[in-house]
Amino acid sequence: MTRVWQWNRPVTVREVLEDLQQERSIAYTTVMTVMDNLHQKGWVRREVDGRAYRYTAVSTRAAYSAALMNEAWSQSDNPAAALVAFFGMMSAEQREALQDAVRMVSPNLVETAPGPTAETIPGSPAEPTAGAVGDDVPTDDATPESGR
């Protein structure tokens, strides 16, 4: 899948084979079997091109990663604790990317939320875990105007 995502275009087994052979010895039939398995699982679609197939990714790598994270999170018996633990494992760069994502998904959250801002990510250095993004617990300074 990495090769298909990298090229972001329809690819043949031969193209993937030639690329992989730059790193290691691998048989055409092995690559063909893997591509067929990916098709059977719904990860790629294929179109006939002469005597070969051209394979195209069904979703982006980002969408696949998001689906994996959602699946793992939804299977937790304590989703909030799982998120706190996940945030605690993040590097500074990953927390910054998360902050950017929160801003993109909820652009008004930063301007309207009292107390901690959308930039407050559990697990970040010197940040409190209570009252973080997503907490719906009113603070002492909540007013009717704030919507809380």
Side-chain angles (χ1 to χ4, degrees):
M1 278 308 300
T2 299
R3 298 307 199 270
V4 177
W5 282 323
Q6 282 175 340
W7 291 330
N8 197 27
R9 64 171 175 79
V11 298
T12 63
V13 170
R14 176 75 52 202
E15 290 173 314
V16 174
L17 173 72
E18 289 172 358
D19 191 49
L20 290 171
Q21 284 181 332
Q22 293 177 16
E23 298 170 12
R24 61 189 168 116
S25 178
I26 189 168
Y28 180 92
T29 54
T30 301
V31 177
M32 184 176 62
T33 298
V34 169
M35 297 299 284
D36 185 59
N37 288 342
L38 291 171
H39 176 257
Q40 296 299 322
K41 292 179 179 186
W43 290 45
V44 295
R45 67 176 146 280
R46 64 185 181 193
E47 297 177 11
V48 175
D49 183 12
R51 293 179 46 201
Y53 286 113
R54 288 206 171 268
Y55 294 86
T56 307
V58 170
S59 68
T60 64
R61 185 177 210 146
Y64 170 71
S65 296
L68 282 178
M69 288 187 290
N70 186 55
E71 181 180 343
W73 180 57
S74 66
Q75 292 178 7
S76 172
D77 60 345
N78 188 341
L83 282 176
V84 169
F86 178 65
F87 295 152
M89 293 179 204
M90 290 179 150
S91 67
E93 294 80 21
Q94 290 170 323
R95 284 192 301 272
E96 187 175 322
L98 178 62
Q99 292 167 359
D100 293 342
V102 168
R103 281 189 213 98
M104 288 173 24
V105 172
S106 304
N108 296 326
L109 186 62
V110 174
E111 291 125 358
T112 61
T117 64
E119 289 81 29
T120 303
I121 305 297
S124 61
E127 296 293 347
T129 56
V133 174
D135 283 352
D136 291 328
V137 178
T139 60
D140 292 336
D141 62 342
T143 63
E145 295 84 32
S146 70
R148 297 252 181 165

PDB file of all heavy atoms in Angstrom, residues 29-59:
ATOM      1  N   THR A  29       5.178 -12.955  -8.779  1.00  0.00           N
ATOM      2  CA  THR A  29       3.963 -13.602  -8.270  1.00  0.00           C
ATOM      3  C   THR A  29       3.645 -13.193  -6.832  1.00  0.00           C
ATOM      4  O   THR A  29       2.478 -13.128  -6.451  1.00  0.00           O
ATOM      5  CB  THR A  29       4.073 -15.135  -8.363  1.00  0.00           C
ATOM      6  OG1 THR A  29       5.265 -15.559  -7.701  1.00  0.00           O
ATOM      7  CG2 THR A  29       4.080 -15.597  -9.816  1.00  0.00           C
ATOM      8  N   THR A  30       4.673 -12.892  -6.054  1.00  0.00           N
ATOM      9  CA  THR A  30       4.449 -12.438  -4.675  1.00  0.00           C
ATOM     10  C   THR A  30       3.747 -11.083  -4.682  1.00  0.00           C
ATOM     11  O   THR A  30       2.753 -10.873  -3.974  1.00  0.00           O
ATOM     12  CB  THR A  30       5.778 -12.350  -3.907  1.00  0.00           C
ATOM     13  OG1 THR A  30       6.387 -13.632  -3.896  1.00  0.00           O
ATOM     14  CG2 THR A  30       5.570 -11.858  -2.482  1.00  0.00           C
ATOM     15  N   VAL A  31       4.247 -10.160  -5.487  1.00  0.00           N
ATOM     16  CA  VAL A  31       3.641  -8.830  -5.579  1.00  0.00           C
ATOM     17  C   VAL A  31       2.231  -8.942  -6.146  1.00  0.00           C
ATOM     18  O   VAL A  31       1.296  -8.301  -5.648  1.00  0.00           O
ATOM     19  CB  VAL A  31       4.512  -7.875  -6.425  1.00  0.00           C
ATOM     20  CG1 VAL A  31       3.844  -6.513  -6.581  1.00  0.00           C
ATOM     21  CG2 VAL A  31       5.899  -7.735  -5.822  1.00  0.00           C
ATOM     22  N   MET A  32       2.052  -9.787  -7.157  1.00  0.00           N
ATOM     23  CA  MET A  32       0.740  -9.978  -7.762  1.00  0.00           C
ATOM     24  C   MET A  32      -0.259 -10.512  -6.726  1.00  0.00           C
ATOM     25  O   MET A  32      -1.396 -10.046  -6.643  1.00  0.00           O
ATOM     26  CB  MET A  32       0.827 -10.944  -8.945  1.00  0.00           C
ATOM     27  CG  MET A  32      -0.490 -11.126  -9.682  1.00  0.00           C
ATOM     28  SD  MET A  32      -0.348 -12.167 -11.144  1.00  0.00           S
ATOM     29  CE  MET A  32       0.168 -13.707 -10.421  1.00  0.00           C
ATOM     30  N   THR A  33       0.172 -11.452  -5.910  1.00  0.00           N
ATOM     31  CA  THR A  33      -0.694 -12.025  -4.875  1.00  0.00           C
ATOM     32  C   THR A  33      -1.068 -10.968  -3.844  1.00  0.00           C
ATOM     33  O   THR A  33      -2.238 -10.868  -3.440  1.00  0.00           O
ATOM     34  CB  THR A  33       0.001 -13.219  -4.193  1.00  0.00           C
ATOM     35  OG1 THR A  33       0.247 -14.226  -5.173  1.00  0.00           O
ATOM     36  CG2 THR A  33      -0.857 -13.789  -3.077  1.00  0.00           C
ATOM     37  N   VAL A  34      -0.103 -10.166  -3.414  1.00  0.00           N
ATOM     38  CA  VAL A  34      -0.382  -9.121  -2.433  1.00  0.00           C
ATOM     39  C   VAL A  34      -1.356  -8.101  -3.018  1.00  0.00           C
ATOM     40  O   VAL A  34      -2.328  -7.701  -2.346  1.00  0.00           O
ATOM     41  CB  VAL A  34       0.920  -8.444  -1.950  1.00  0.00           C
ATOM     42  CG1 VAL A  34       0.618  -7.194  -1.131  1.00  0.00           C
ATOM     43  CG2 VAL A  34       1.760  -9.427  -1.148  1.00  0.00           C
ATOM     44  N   MET A  35      -1.143  -7.684  -4.245  1.00  0.00           N
ATOM     45  CA  MET A  35      -2.048  -6.721  -4.874  1.00  0.00           C
ATOM     46  C   MET A  35      -3.453  -7.305  -5.012  1.00  0.00           C
ATOM     47  O   MET A  35      -4.451  -6.611  -4.765  1.00  0.00           O
ATOM     48  CB  MET A  35      -1.505  -6.265  -6.233  1.00  0.00           C
ATOM     49  CG  MET A  35      -0.179  -5.520  -6.157  1.00  0.00           C
ATOM     50  SD  MET A  35      -0.224  -4.003  -5.192  1.00  0.00           S
ATOM     51  CE  MET A  35      -1.041  -2.915  -6.320  1.00  0.00           C
ATOM     52  N   ASP A  36      -3.544  -8.569  -5.363  1.00  0.00           N
ATOM     53  CA  ASP A  36      -4.846  -9.225  -5.467  1.00  0.00           C
ATOM     54  C   ASP A  36      -5.513  -9.295  -4.092  1.00  0.00           C
ATOM     55  O   ASP A  36      -6.726  -9.046  -3.969  1.00  0.00           O
ATOM     56  CB  ASP A  36      -4.714 -10.619  -6.068  1.00  0.00           C
ATOM     57  CG  ASP A  36      -6.076 -11.258  -6.304  1.00  0.00           C
ATOM     58  OD1 ASP A  36      -6.887 -10.670  -7.057  1.00  0.00           O
ATOM     59  OD2 ASP A  36      -6.342 -12.319  -5.706  1.00  0.00           O
ATOM     60  N   ASN A  37      -4.747  -9.611  -3.058  1.00  0.00           N
ATOM     61  CA  ASN A  37      -5.297  -9.651  -1.696  1.00  0.00           C
ATOM     62  C   ASN A  37      -5.808  -8.271  -1.271  1.00  0.00           C
ATOM     63  O   ASN A  37      -6.874  -8.155  -0.654  1.00  0.00           O
ATOM     64  CB  ASN A  37      -4.257 -10.151  -0.692  1.00  0.00           C
ATOM     65  CG  ASN A  37      -3.989 -11.632  -0.824  1.00  0.00           C
ATOM     66  OD1 ASN A  37      -4.767 -12.373  -1.406  1.00  0.00           O
ATOM     67  ND2 ASN A  37      -2.853 -12.059  -0.293  1.00  0.00           N
ATOM     68  N   LEU A  38      -5.057  -7.235  -1.597  1.00  0.00           N
ATOM     69  CA  LEU A  38      -5.495  -5.874  -1.283  1.00  0.00           C
ATOM     70  C   LEU A  38      -6.797  -5.549  -2.010  1.00  0.00           C
ATOM     71  O   LEU A  38      -7.688  -4.893  -1.455  1.00  0.00           O
ATOM     72  CB  LEU A  38      -4.408  -4.860  -1.645  1.00  0.00           C
ATOM     73  CG  LEU A  38      -3.149  -4.894  -0.782  1.00  0.00           C
ATOM     74  CD1 LEU A  38      -2.067  -3.992  -1.375  1.00  0.00           C
ATOM     75  CD2 LEU A  38      -3.456  -4.491   0.658  1.00  0.00           C
ATOM     76  N   HIS A  39      -6.921  -6.018  -3.233  1.00  0.00           N
ATOM     77  CA  HIS A  39      -8.160  -5.813  -3.991  1.00  0.00           C
ATOM     78  C   HIS A  39      -9.316  -6.579  -3.345  1.00  0.00           C
ATOM     79  O   HIS A  39     -10.417  -6.037  -3.170  1.00  0.00           O
ATOM     80  CB  HIS A  39      -7.973  -6.255  -5.446  1.00  0.00           C
ATOM     81  CG  HIS A  39      -9.224  -6.156  -6.247  1.00  0.00           C
ATOM     82  ND1 HIS A  39      -9.988  -7.248  -6.572  1.00  0.00           N
ATOM     83  CD2 HIS A  39      -9.862  -5.080  -6.752  1.00  0.00           C
ATOM     84  CE1 HIS A  39     -11.044  -6.848  -7.253  1.00  0.00           C
ATOM     85  NE2 HIS A  39     -10.993  -5.546  -7.379  1.00  0.00           N
ATOM     86  N   GLN A  40      -9.078  -7.819  -2.976  1.00  0.00           N
ATOM     87  CA  GLN A  40     -10.123  -8.635  -2.352  1.00  0.00           C
ATOM     88  C   GLN A  40     -10.600  -8.028  -1.027  1.00  0.00           C
ATOM     89  O   GLN A  40     -11.778  -8.136  -0.676  1.00  0.00           O
ATOM     90  CB  GLN A  40      -9.622 -10.072  -2.105  1.00  0.00           C
ATOM     91  CG  GLN A  40      -9.299 -10.838  -3.365  1.00  0.00           C
ATOM     92  CD  GLN A  40     -10.485 -11.010  -4.298  1.00  0.00           C
ATOM     93  OE1 GLN A  40     -11.601 -11.217  -3.855  1.00  0.00           O
ATOM     94  NE2 GLN A  40     -10.232 -10.900  -5.591  1.00  0.00           N
ATOM     95  N   LYS A  41      -9.689  -7.385  -0.308  1.00  0.00           N
ATOM     96  CA  LYS A  41     -10.036  -6.765   0.981  1.00  0.00           C
ATOM     97  C   LYS A  41     -10.654  -5.378   0.811  1.00  0.00           C
ATOM     98  O   LYS A  41     -11.071  -4.770   1.791  1.00  0.00           O
ATOM     99  CB  LYS A  41      -8.798  -6.667   1.871  1.00  0.00           C
ATOM    100  CG  LYS A  41      -8.302  -8.028   2.336  1.00  0.00           C
ATOM    101  CD  LYS A  41      -7.070  -7.893   3.193  1.00  0.00           C
ATOM    102  CE  LYS A  41      -6.620  -9.259   3.668  1.00  0.00           C
ATOM    103  NZ  LYS A  41      -5.506  -9.174   4.608  1.00  0.00           N
ATOM    104  N   GLY A  42     -10.683  -4.874  -0.409  1.00  0.00           N
ATOM    105  CA  GLY A  42     -11.294  -3.574  -0.665  1.00  0.00           C
ATOM    106  C   GLY A  42     -10.386  -2.380  -0.457  1.00  0.00           C
ATOM    107  O   GLY A  42     -10.850  -1.246  -0.408  1.00  0.00           O
ATOM    108  N   TRP A  43      -9.096  -2.605  -0.356  1.00  0.00           N
ATOM    109  CA  TRP A  43      -8.153  -1.504  -0.152  1.00  0.00           C
ATOM    110  C   TRP A  43      -7.796  -0.803  -1.446  1.00  0.00           C
ATOM    111  O   TRP A  43      -7.442   0.363  -1.443  1.00  0.00           O
ATOM    112  CB  TRP A  43      -6.879  -2.027   0.500  1.00  0.00           C
ATOM    113  CG  TRP A  43      -7.052  -2.441   1.914  1.00  0.00           C
ATOM    114  CD1 TRP A  43      -8.062  -3.191   2.448  1.00  0.00           C
ATOM    115  CD2 TRP A  43      -6.180  -2.141   2.983  1.00  0.00           C
ATOM    116  NE1 TRP A  43      -7.864  -3.375   3.781  1.00  0.00           N
ATOM    117  CE2 TRP A  43      -6.703  -2.744   4.139  1.00  0.00           C
ATOM    118  CE3 TRP A  43      -4.995  -1.432   3.080  1.00  0.00           C
ATOM    119  CZ2 TRP A  43      -6.097  -2.636   5.373  1.00  0.00           C
ATOM    120  CZ3 TRP A  43      -4.375  -1.341   4.307  1.00  0.00           C
ATOM    121  CH2 TRP A  43      -4.940  -1.933   5.440  1.00  0.00           C
ATOM    122  N   VAL A  44      -7.826  -1.554  -2.548  1.00  0.00           N
ATOM    123  CA  VAL A  44      -7.543  -0.986  -3.865  1.00  0.00           C
ATOM    124  C   VAL A  44      -8.636  -1.436  -4.828  1.00  0.00           C
ATOM    125  O   VAL A  44      -9.280  -2.459  -4.633  1.00  0.00           O
ATOM    126  CB  VAL A  44      -6.155  -1.415  -4.414  1.00  0.00           C
ATOM    127  CG1 VAL A  44      -5.021  -0.871  -3.569  1.00  0.00           C
ATOM    128  CG2 VAL A  44      -6.050  -2.921  -4.565  1.00  0.00           C
ATOM    129  N   ARG A  45      -8.835  -0.646  -5.855  1.00  0.00           N
ATOM    130  CA  ARG A  45      -9.692  -1.085  -6.962  1.00  0.00           C
ATOM    131  C   ARG A  45      -8.784  -1.273  -8.164  1.00  0.00           C
ATOM    132  O   ARG A  45      -7.684  -0.724  -8.212  1.00  0.00           O
ATOM    133  CB  ARG A  45     -10.831  -0.104  -7.208  1.00  0.00           C
ATOM    134  CG  ARG A  45     -10.443   1.250  -7.730  1.00  0.00           C
ATOM    135  CD  ARG A  45     -11.698   2.080  -8.031  1.00  0.00           C
ATOM    136  NE  ARG A  45     -11.548   3.485  -7.780  1.00  0.00           N
ATOM    137  CZ  ARG A  45     -11.610   4.099  -6.614  1.00  0.00           C
ATOM    138  NH1 ARG A  45     -11.802   3.415  -5.528  1.00  0.00           N
ATOM    139  NH2 ARG A  45     -11.455   5.382  -6.492  1.00  0.00           N
ATOM    140  N   ARG A  46      -9.252  -2.038  -9.115  1.00  0.00           N
ATOM    141  CA  ARG A  46      -8.394  -2.291 -10.277  1.00  0.00           C
ATOM    142  C   ARG A  46      -9.197  -2.186 -11.564  1.00  0.00           C
ATOM    143  O   ARG A  46     -10.388  -2.448 -11.597  1.00  0.00           O
ATOM    144  CB  ARG A  46      -7.714  -3.642 -10.157  1.00  0.00           C
ATOM    145  CG  ARG A  46      -8.629  -4.830 -10.169  1.00  0.00           C
ATOM    146  CD  ARG A  46      -7.854  -6.101  -9.934  1.00  0.00           C
ATOM    147  NE  ARG A  46      -8.744  -7.263  -9.969  1.00  0.00           N
ATOM    148  CZ  ARG A  46      -8.408  -8.460  -9.552  1.00  0.00           C
ATOM    149  NH1 ARG A  46      -7.198  -8.685  -9.076  1.00  0.00           N
ATOM    150  NH2 ARG A  46      -9.258  -9.456  -9.617  1.00  0.00           N
ATOM    151  N   GLU A  47      -8.478  -1.794 -12.602  1.00  0.00           N
ATOM    152  CA  GLU A  47      -9.039  -1.691 -13.945  1.00  0.00           C
ATOM    153  C   GLU A  47      -8.119  -2.436 -14.894  1.00  0.00           C
ATOM    154  O   GLU A  47      -6.897  -2.387 -14.752  1.00  0.00           O
ATOM    155  CB  GLU A  47      -9.125  -0.225 -14.384  1.00  0.00           C
ATOM    156  CG  GLU A  47     -10.044   0.629 -13.552  1.00  0.00           C
ATOM    157  CD  GLU A  47     -10.037   2.087 -13.990  1.00  0.00           C
ATOM    158  OE1 GLU A  47      -9.473   2.405 -15.066  1.00  0.00           O
ATOM    159  OE2 GLU A  47     -10.588   2.915 -13.256  1.00  0.00           O
ATOM    160  N   VAL A  48      -8.717  -3.096 -15.859  1.00  0.00           N
ATOM    161  CA  VAL A  48      -7.929  -3.818 -16.851  1.00  0.00           C
ATOM    162  C   VAL A  48      -7.235  -2.810 -17.753  1.00  0.00           C
ATOM    163  O   VAL A  48      -7.830  -1.834 -18.215  1.00  0.00           O
ATOM    164  CB  VAL A  48      -8.824  -4.769 -17.675  1.00  0.00           C
ATOM    165  CG1 VAL A  48      -8.033  -5.443 -18.784  1.00  0.00           C
ATOM    166  CG2 VAL A  48      -9.472  -5.802 -16.769  1.00  0.00           C
ATOM    167  N   ASP A  49      -5.940  -3.052 -17.996  1.00  0.00           N
ATOM    168  CA  ASP A  49      -5.140  -2.227 -18.900  1.00  0.00           C
ATOM    169  C   ASP A  49      -4.334  -3.181 -19.762  1.00  0.00           C
ATOM    170  O   ASP A  49      -3.248  -3.627 -19.360  1.00  0.00           O
ATOM    171  CB  ASP A  49      -4.233  -1.292 -18.095  1.00  0.00           C
ATOM    172  CG  ASP A  49      -3.432  -0.349 -18.994  1.00  0.00           C
ATOM    173  OD1 ASP A  49      -3.743  -0.250 -20.201  1.00  0.00           O
ATOM    174  OD2 ASP A  49      -2.495   0.291 -18.472  1.00  0.00           O
ATOM    175  N   GLY A  50      -4.869  -3.546 -20.909  1.00  0.00           N
ATOM    176  CA  GLY A  50      -4.223  -4.553 -21.759  1.00  0.00           C
ATOM    177  C   GLY A  50      -4.331  -5.905 -21.086  1.00  0.00           C
ATOM    178  O   GLY A  50      -5.426  -6.368 -20.771  1.00  0.00           O
ATOM    179  N   ARG A  51      -3.175  -6.536 -20.833  1.00  0.00           N
ATOM    180  CA  ARG A  51      -3.159  -7.842 -20.166  1.00  0.00           C
ATOM    181  C   ARG A  51      -2.907  -7.727 -18.670  1.00  0.00           C
ATOM    182  O   ARG A  51      -2.779  -8.732 -17.988  1.00  0.00           O
ATOM    183  CB  ARG A  51      -2.071  -8.719 -20.801  1.00  0.00           C
ATOM    184  CG  ARG A  51      -2.394  -9.100 -22.239  1.00  0.00           C
ATOM    185  CD  ARG A  51      -1.320  -9.942 -22.870  1.00  0.00           C
ATOM    186  NE  ARG A  51      -0.880 -11.019 -21.996  1.00  0.00           N
ATOM    187  CZ  ARG A  51       0.266 -11.652 -22.103  1.00  0.00           C
ATOM    188  NH1 ARG A  51       1.106 -11.317 -23.063  1.00  0.00           N
ATOM    189  NH2 ARG A  51       0.593 -12.609 -21.264  1.00  0.00           N
ATOM    190  N   ALA A  52      -2.839  -6.507 -18.178  1.00  0.00           N
ATOM    191  CA  ALA A  52      -2.533  -6.282 -16.757  1.00  0.00           C
ATOM    192  C   ALA A  52      -3.657  -5.488 -16.099  1.00  0.00           C
ATOM    193  O   ALA A  52      -4.579  -5.018 -16.754  1.00  0.00           O
ATOM    194  CB  ALA A  52      -1.213  -5.525 -16.625  1.00  0.00           C
ATOM    195  N   TYR A  53      -3.549  -5.364 -14.810  1.00  0.00           N
ATOM    196  CA  TYR A  53      -4.451  -4.501 -14.045  1.00  0.00           C
ATOM    197  C   TYR A  53      -3.693  -3.265 -13.600  1.00  0.00           C
ATOM    198  O   TYR A  53      -2.491  -3.311 -13.348  1.00  0.00           O
ATOM    199  CB  TYR A  53      -4.952  -5.208 -12.776  1.00  0.00           C
ATOM    200  CG  TYR A  53      -5.976  -6.288 -13.008  1.00  0.00           C
ATOM    201  CD1 TYR A  53      -5.667  -7.621 -12.752  1.00  0.00           C
ATOM    202  CD2 TYR A  53      -7.264  -5.984 -13.443  1.00  0.00           C
ATOM    203  CE1 TYR A  53      -6.607  -8.620 -12.926  1.00  0.00           C
ATOM    204  CE2 TYR A  53      -8.209  -6.974 -13.625  1.00  0.00           C
ATOM    205  CZ  TYR A  53      -7.884  -8.288 -13.365  1.00  0.00           C
ATOM    206  OH  TYR A  53      -8.813  -9.274 -13.542  1.00  0.00           O
ATOM    207  N   ARG A  54      -4.407  -2.164 -13.473  1.00  0.00           N
ATOM    208  CA  ARG A  54      -3.893  -0.967 -12.823  1.00  0.00           C
ATOM    209  C   ARG A  54      -4.661  -0.825 -11.519  1.00  0.00           C
ATOM    210  O   ARG A  54      -5.880  -0.832 -11.499  1.00  0.00           O
ATOM    211  CB  ARG A  54      -4.085   0.278 -13.689  1.00  0.00           C
ATOM    212  CG  ARG A  54      -3.158   0.304 -14.870  1.00  0.00           C
ATOM    213  CD  ARG A  54      -2.893   1.743 -15.328  1.00  0.00           C
ATOM    214  NE  ARG A  54      -1.843   1.741 -16.318  1.00  0.00           N
ATOM    215  CZ  ARG A  54      -0.562   1.897 -16.055  1.00  0.00           C
ATOM    216  NH1 ARG A  54      -0.176   2.070 -14.805  1.00  0.00           N
ATOM    217  NH2 ARG A  54       0.336   1.881 -17.004  1.00  0.00           N
ATOM    218  N   TYR A  55      -3.907  -0.714 -10.417  1.00  0.00           N
ATOM    219  CA  TYR A  55      -4.487  -0.653  -9.079  1.00  0.00           C
ATOM    220  C   TYR A  55      -4.451   0.782  -8.556  1.00  0.00           C
ATOM    221  O   TYR A  55      -3.449   1.476  -8.702  1.00  0.00           O
ATOM    222  CB  TYR A  55      -3.706  -1.553  -8.126  1.00  0.00           C
ATOM    223  CG  TYR A  55      -3.811  -3.019  -8.462  1.00  0.00           C
ATOM    224  CD1 TYR A  55      -2.940  -3.609  -9.384  1.00  0.00           C
ATOM    225  CD2 TYR A  55      -4.778  -3.818  -7.872  1.00  0.00           C
ATOM    226  CE1 TYR A  55      -3.046  -4.969  -9.690  1.00  0.00           C
ATOM    227  CE2 TYR A  55      -4.889  -5.167  -8.171  1.00  0.00           C
ATOM    228  CZ  TYR A  55      -4.017  -5.733  -9.084  1.00  0.00           C
ATOM    229  OH  TYR A  55      -4.120  -7.065  -9.384  1.00  0.00           O
ATOM    230  N   THR A  56      -5.561   1.179  -7.903  1.00  0.00           N
ATOM    231  CA  THR A  56      -5.678   2.509  -7.320  1.00  0.00           C
ATOM    232  C   THR A  56      -6.157   2.371  -5.884  1.00  0.00           C
ATOM    233  O   THR A  56      -7.078   1.591  -5.613  1.00  0.00           O
ATOM    234  CB  THR A  56      -6.714   3.356  -8.109  1.00  0.00           C
ATOM    235  OG1 THR A  56      -6.387   3.335  -9.492  1.00  0.00           O
ATOM    236  CG2 THR A  56      -6.754   4.789  -7.610  1.00  0.00           C
ATOM    237  N   ALA A  57      -5.567   3.145  -4.988  1.00  0.00           N
ATOM    238  CA  ALA A  57      -5.980   3.117  -3.577  1.00  0.00           C
ATOM    239  C   ALA A  57      -7.423   3.596  -3.458  1.00  0.00           C
ATOM    240  O   ALA A  57      -7.833   4.543  -4.115  1.00  0.00           O
ATOM    241  CB  ALA A  57      -5.060   3.997  -2.741  1.00  0.00           C
ATOM    242  N   VAL A  58      -8.177   2.931  -2.595  1.00  0.00           N
ATOM    243  CA  VAL A  58      -9.567   3.307  -2.359  1.00  0.00           C
ATOM    244  C   VAL A  58      -9.644   4.528  -1.437  1.00  0.00           C
ATOM    245  O   VAL A  58     -10.512   5.370  -1.592  1.00  0.00           O
ATOM    246  CB  VAL A  58     -10.361   2.113  -1.775  1.00  0.00           C
ATOM    247  CG1 VAL A  58     -11.727   2.525  -1.297  1.00  0.00           C
ATOM    248  CG2 VAL A  58     -10.473   1.006  -2.811  1.00  0.00           C
ATOM    249  N   SER A  59      -8.723   4.631  -0.486  1.00  0.00           N
ATOM    250  CA  SER A  59      -8.709   5.786   0.408  1.00  0.00           C
ATOM    251  C   SER A  59      -7.274   6.271   0.577  1.00  0.00           C
ATOM    252  O   SER A  59      -6.327   5.587   0.207  1.00  0.00           O
ATOM    253  CB  SER A  59      -9.312   5.438   1.769  1.00  0.00           C
ATOM    254  OG  SER A  59      -8.477   4.543   2.460  1.00  0.00           O
TER     255      SER A  59
END
